[in-house]
Amino acid sequence: MKHYFRFLSLFFLISCGNNHQQQQAGSVHNDTQFTQDYAIRWHTTDSTIKVYKSYADRNGVIKLFTSRGLMQPFAGEMLYPGTIVPDGTYRPMTQKKIAALGLYDNQFVYVDDKAVLSNAWAGILYAQHGIPDARIFAGGEDFAFLVSNGHTLRYIKDGIVTWETATPVLDIVWNATQKKFFVLSGEAVSAFNPEGNQLTEIFRGEGLTSFAPAAGGKKLVIGTRNGYLVIDASSGKQEGELQQKLPWTEITAVSEINGNLWFGSTRGAFMLKDDGKFNYYASKRWLPSDDVQHITQGPDNSVLITTGSGLGQINFQQMTLAEKAEFYEKQVRLRHIRNGFNATLAGMKEGDLGTGHMEDSDNDGLWTAMYLGGQAFRYAVTKSPEALENCRESLDAMERLYSVNPVKGFPARSFERVGFALHDRKAWISAPDPEWEWKSTTSSDEAIGHIFAFAVLAELVDDEPIKNKAIGLIDSLMQHIVDNDFYMVDWDGKPTLWAKWNPEYVNARPIIVGDRKINASNIVAMLQTGYHFTKKEIYKEKAFELMDKHGYLENLMRPMKEIGKAPDDADDWSKMLSSAWNHSDDEMYFLGYWGLYRYAFNDTLKQQFKEAILDHWEIERPEKEAAWNIATALTGVKEFDLEEAIWYLQEYPLDMFSWKVENSHRKDIELMEPNFRNQTTKEVLPPDELRISRHNANRFTLDGGNESSEYSAGDIWLLPYWMGRYLGAISEAQ
């Protein structure tokens, strides 16, 4: 994995100079390196094995102490977990009753039933402790050690036991600044001064579980069963209150690594950031299990998080957004292209990429349209031959949606070989070609996605066959809609359930119902796009007829704050449509804004449409959604939450597997009262702490994940990134 990242750095140093972006945005993100985190996991192969601690020595070798003795990680890289196997590298160690593992001067040190020992320093270290069941230790100056079995404490200096006492012990640490050992029990912290062989209690509390020196040894951070606290290492005086505004308060491990405080808990690990918030590492995206036992520094500035069922290594890689884009481009091409569609890899077991299959979707056309739009932006910026070929391949798939079925101008939802479609069997229809079948019931979100992608291709890709094909498909779909009185009519001669833009349907909804606004906005955008590329007057005439005669301009200009639940006297359909905010509508709006604003019939309308877009963006701002923020840059507005968009792009996990995540238990989030938009928290969580979701999902959903799918970055990440590059909101890699 690390070699791959180094390759990307070289790749972009050579290739990123070819840049033909169109400058539209008022703000620009300078694409320099940021810190991208990702995990490598190692699992036990036997569920009866319990893992307690892990350490990495000065050579980067990792060893683990487990209920089966010493073990080591084998294989493993991001997306491909390794296993934990017995450690037989030092054959004599397999004959010893190892009871504890630790580090001294970045070398492995062990405790068995007889001594503190090591294979470093030519094996000279062998200090007998005389505690047959010893299992806790720490090393001080000049190879002096404090050793315990949990109730007897002995100090060993120059290989001789020079002091001992009976006292309860959970853990021992050496504080080089204070030149003292600190001893933790469930109720107290004591300091042991080797100079005078004195053990002095300095702090008393309840439910203490773990501790670590911090702030250059001046402080001790103490974990408890209900939060953590900080004491002065010299006086033992508590500083501030017990900290409980945490992802989880049952602390099991504490460590300071590279100046950052890390905490383990019974529900994952978390790192305290400079702003007082936390990076939360939980779920199998990061860890084999959430029962954290131990945290320590790993090789190459990584962090090793030991859990009961294995080891998670959190790695921190410097990269640019351009390098991250190249990583995702490979992800899409390797595992997510099905018949040219941008597909989901499903049916996996425990995230094993070797067990999955690509599946059909209701929205094959929509997800592919969003990927296709992203690739068109990529080509416009870079002139990449690969991007052009990707456009050509996926456009072929989109074109076949229209030719695989016998209805003129009607796009299928999807197509597949006979007998292999997985979802909604009743919607599948036999194609004229007996080898294939196609999916009916196509919806309005498919239609607006198609028009968006075809327009971007027609405008930005300087390949005549692609351009002509895209314009032909725009015309085919729009003519079908106009010919059928603003409905999309299926194989049975009836309008589909959702593809309805006819005034009798749209204006039957109360003005408070969002469908009235979204359908008006989308159809005007689609008709403008049709006219822009074909110059057919019918599209322009129909657009003005809808806006002037049927109130569609008023509909689409209605402020978002006026959208809500239908009144009690409304029809049942309107009540159903407005029971809560529909995030699929957001996706449809913003895809439609490309044609609504960019191809506006005149400057007056363009200014009005800009006002509508900014009004919508304003209400979406809490989600920090990159696609919506960057799409807003289309209008040329100077402020469009660019920093939040970059935050989204940088924080999105490299691992796009749909791990099950849970956040509703967290104590560090501020929950909101139930509301129409289903915004659960005052501030949205980072993408790498949430379930993987597409742009039509609620980013405030705290829990979720199906544990069986890897989503494609094609629509989720690459679309907003390359749109940002094209609009000039994101620079080339620096």
Side-chain angles (χ1 to χ4, degrees), residues 607-727:
Q607 182 59 37
Q608 289 178 290
F609 296 156
K610 178 178 180 178
E611 292 173 9
I613 294 169
L614 295 181
D615 172 73
H616 187 184
W617 165 76
E618 189 69 41
I619 211 165
E620 295 296 326
R621 294 179 72 181
E623 292 196 20
K624 300 183 180 181
E625 163 63 79
W628 310 159
N629 277 310
I630 289 173
T632 302
L634 169 71
T635 65
V637 65
K638 292 183 178 180
E639 299 299 328
F640 53 92
D641 288 351
L642 177 60
E643 289 185 7
E644 284 76 6
I646 299 305
W647 171 84
Y648 172 103
L649 293 173
Q650 290 181 345
E651 290 286 333
Y652 222 94
L654 293 176
D655 179 350
M656 283 206 167
F657 189 79
S658 184
W659 297 112
K660 182 179 179 181
V661 300
E662 294 182 354
N663 289 286
S664 54
H665 63 276
R666 292 175 63 164
K667 311 296 185 183
D668 63 332
I669 56 178
E670 186 175 343
L671 296 175
M672 297 181 66
E673 293 295 322
N675 54 77
F676 179 64
R677 289 186 60 84
N678 288 328
Q679 182 175 340
T680 57
T681 56
K682 186 175 181 180
E683 185 173 357
V684 71
L685 292 171
D688 61 358
E689 296 177 15
L690 297 170
R691 61 175 182 162
I692 298 295
S693 61
R694 289 189 150 102
H695 299 296
N696 64 339
N698 180 7
R699 297 203 60 247
F700 285 95
T701 299
L702 294 175
D703 305 333
N706 61 25
E707 294 282 317
S708 64
S709 301
E710 183 190 59
Y711 285 85
S712 168
D715 52 295
I716 294 173
W717 199 94
L718 291 173
L719 172 62
Y721 170 74
W722 286 115
M723 181 186 286
R725 286 288 304 275
Y726 174 74
L727 293 176

Side-chain angles (χ1 to χ4, degrees), residues 42-47 49-52 64 84 284 287-291 293 306-311:
W42 292 270
H43 298 260
T44 57
T45 57
D46 184 339
S47 61
I49 298 175
K50 186 77 170 177
V51 186
Y52 302 120
L64 303 97
I84 293 172
K284 291 182 180 178
L287 306 173
S289 58
D290 285 346
D291 55 332
Q293 308 293 313
T306 307
T307 75
S309 57
L311 174 64

Side-chain angles (χ1 to χ4, degrees), residues 320-497:
T320 62
L321 289 175
E323 290 171 322
K324 191 169 184 176
E326 181 63 16
F327 176 86
Y328 283 143
E329 296 286 358
K330 292 183 180 294
Q331 183 245 24
V332 176
R333 302 312 302 181
L334 286 173
R335 296 191 293 277
H336 293 279
I337 300 300
R338 169 188 154 266
N339 294 331
F341 291 129
N342 174 44
T344 297
L345 191 66
M348 284 181 282
K349 299 177 181 178
E350 292 293 321
D352 183 352
L353 292 173
T355 62
H357 56 262
M358 288 183 287
E359 65 176 2
D360 57 80
S361 165
D362 259 10
N363 290 320
D364 273 339
L366 176 59
W367 309 143
T368 305
M370 296 172 78
Y371 170 61
L372 190 49
Q375 292 302 296
F377 290 129
R378 178 188 175 196
Y379 177 74
V381 170
T382 66
K383 298 302 179 185
S384 161
E386 179 187 58
L388 184 63
E389 187 60 29
N390 294 345
C391 289
R392 186 175 290 113
E393 180 180 18
S394 288
L395 183 58
D396 285 346
M398 297 289 286
E399 180 188 38
R400 195 175 184 207
L401 291 172
Y402 293 79
S403 63
V404 75
N405 77 85
V407 184
K408 184 179 180 180
F410 180 84
R413 282 188 180 273
S414 185
F415 56 80
E416 186 53 278
R417 296 183 188 276
V418 171
F420 286 92
L422 293 171
H423 301 294
D424 308 319
R425 285 300 314 163
K426 292 182 180 180
W428 288 85
I429 309 297
S430 297
D433 182 340
E435 178 72 14
W436 295 87
E437 52 187 347
W438 61 279
K439 194 170 190 177
S440 59
T441 72
T442 308
S443 64
S444 54
D445 46 355
E446 298 293 294
I448 191 63
H450 288 209
I451 293 297
F452 161 75
F454 300 154
V456 174
L457 287 168
E459 181 180 354
L460 304 183
V461 177
D462 56 1
D463 179 276
E464 286 303 312
I466 288 179
K467 186 184 297 288
N468 293 336
K469 184 179 293 187
I471 294 173
L473 290 170
I474 291 172
D475 189 32
S476 183
L477 176 56
M478 294 314 301
Q479 193 64 56
H480 173 93
I481 292 171
V482 169
D483 288 346
N484 288 284
D485 202 15
F486 297 107
Y487 294 103
M488 275 184 20
V489 175
D490 215 329
W491 63 275
D492 57 2
K494 299 177 182 179
T496 65
L497 181 62

Side-chain angles (χ1 to χ4, degrees), residues 140-389:
E141 290 185 330
D142 300 324
F143 290 89
F145 293 89
L146 202 57
V147 183
S148 178
N149 59 359
H151 48 82
T152 297
L153 190 63
R154 289 184 177 176
Y155 180 59
I156 307 169
K157 175 71 172 175
D158 297 326
I160 301 171
V161 176
T162 63
W163 174 88
E164 71 173 275
T165 191
T167 187
V169 178
L170 287 179
D171 198 6
I172 308 170
V173 297
W174 168 251
N175 188 330
T177 301
Q178 302 290 326
K179 295 188 181 301
K180 294 177 182 177
F181 291 94
F182 287 90
V183 180
L184 177 74
S185 72
E187 294 76 34
V189 176
S190 300
F192 176 71
N193 188 344
E195 289 298 319
N197 287 343
Q198 294 178 330
L199 182 68
T200 306
E201 182 178 297
I202 64 168
F203 176 81
R204 179 156 287 272
E206 294 182 357
L208 311 184
T209 60
S210 50
F211 72 151
K218 297 178 181 179
K219 314 291 183 186
L220 286 177
V221 180
I222 305 172
T224 79
R225 288 195 290 267
N226 192 28
Y228 78 90
L229 52 89
V230 179
I231 67 171
D232 183 273
S234 296
S235 66
K237 183 178 179 180
Q238 182 173 333
E239 299 183 354
E241 302 295 321
L242 179 69
Q243 300 298 308
Q244 296 177 302
K245 196 174 181 181
L246 315 173
W248 192 239
T249 56
E250 191 174 1
I251 306 300
T252 57
V254 182
S255 184
E256 186 183 53
I257 301 173
N258 295 328
N260 296 313
L261 280 177
W262 285 79
F263 300 90
S265 77
T266 54
R267 300 193 73 160
F270 39 94
M271 186 199 79
L272 179 63
K273 299 191 294 183
D274 292 340
D275 61 4
K277 299 175 184 178
F278 294 91
N279 283 340
Y280 186 36
Y281 298 95
S283 83
K284 291 182 180 178
R285 178 179 295 157
W286 303 106
L287 306 173
S289 58
D290 285 346
D291 55 332
V292 177
Q293 308 293 313
H294 182 240
I295 301 179
T296 191
Q297 183 164 339
D300 301 321
N301 291 319
S302 67
V303 174
L304 301 179
I305 302 178
T306 307
T307 75
S309 57
L311 174 64
Q313 182 183 28
I314 311 300
N315 297 275
F316 302 94
Q317 180 72 38
Q318 294 300 303
M319 66 183 345
T320 62
L321 289 175
E323 290 171 322
K324 191 169 184 176
E326 181 63 16
F327 176 86
Y328 283 143
E329 296 286 358
K330 292 183 180 294
Q331 183 245 24
V332 176
R333 302 312 302 181
L334 286 173
R335 296 191 293 277
H336 293 279
I337 300 300
R338 169 188 154 266
N339 294 331
F341 291 129
N342 174 44
T344 297
L345 191 66
M348 284 181 282
K349 299 177 181 178
E350 292 293 321
D352 183 352
L353 292 173
T355 62
H357 56 262
M358 288 183 287
E359 65 176 2
D360 57 80
S361 165
D362 259 10
N363 290 320
D364 273 339
L366 176 59
W367 309 143
T368 305
M370 296 172 78
Y371 170 61
L372 190 49
Q375 292 302 296
F377 290 129
R378 178 188 175 196
Y379 177 74
V381 170
T382 66
K383 298 302 179 185
S384 161
E386 179 187 58
L388 184 63
E389 187 60 29

Side-chain angles (χ1 to χ4, degrees), residues 566-608:
D568 292 340
D569 60 353
D571 62 285
D572 290 342
W573 188 254
S574 293
K575 290 180 181 178
M576 182 277 296
L577 289 173
S578 61
S579 60
W581 190 266
N582 189 331
H583 292 271
S584 284
D585 285 358
D586 293 327
E587 185 172 71
M588 294 166 64
Y589 276 117
F590 279 96
L591 291 179
Y593 289 157
W594 183 268
L596 187 70
Y597 179 81
R598 201 169 182 89
Y599 311 134
F601 291 125
N602 55 57
D603 289 342
T604 300
L605 283 175
K606 195 168 193 175
Q607 182 59 37
Q608 289 178 290

Side-chain angles (χ1 to χ4, degrees), residues 494-510:
K494 299 177 182 179
T496 65
L497 181 62
W498 298 111
K500 299 175 180 178
W501 303 275
N502 183 282
E504 291 185 5
Y505 172 82
V506 172
N507 289 335
R509 313 276 77 77

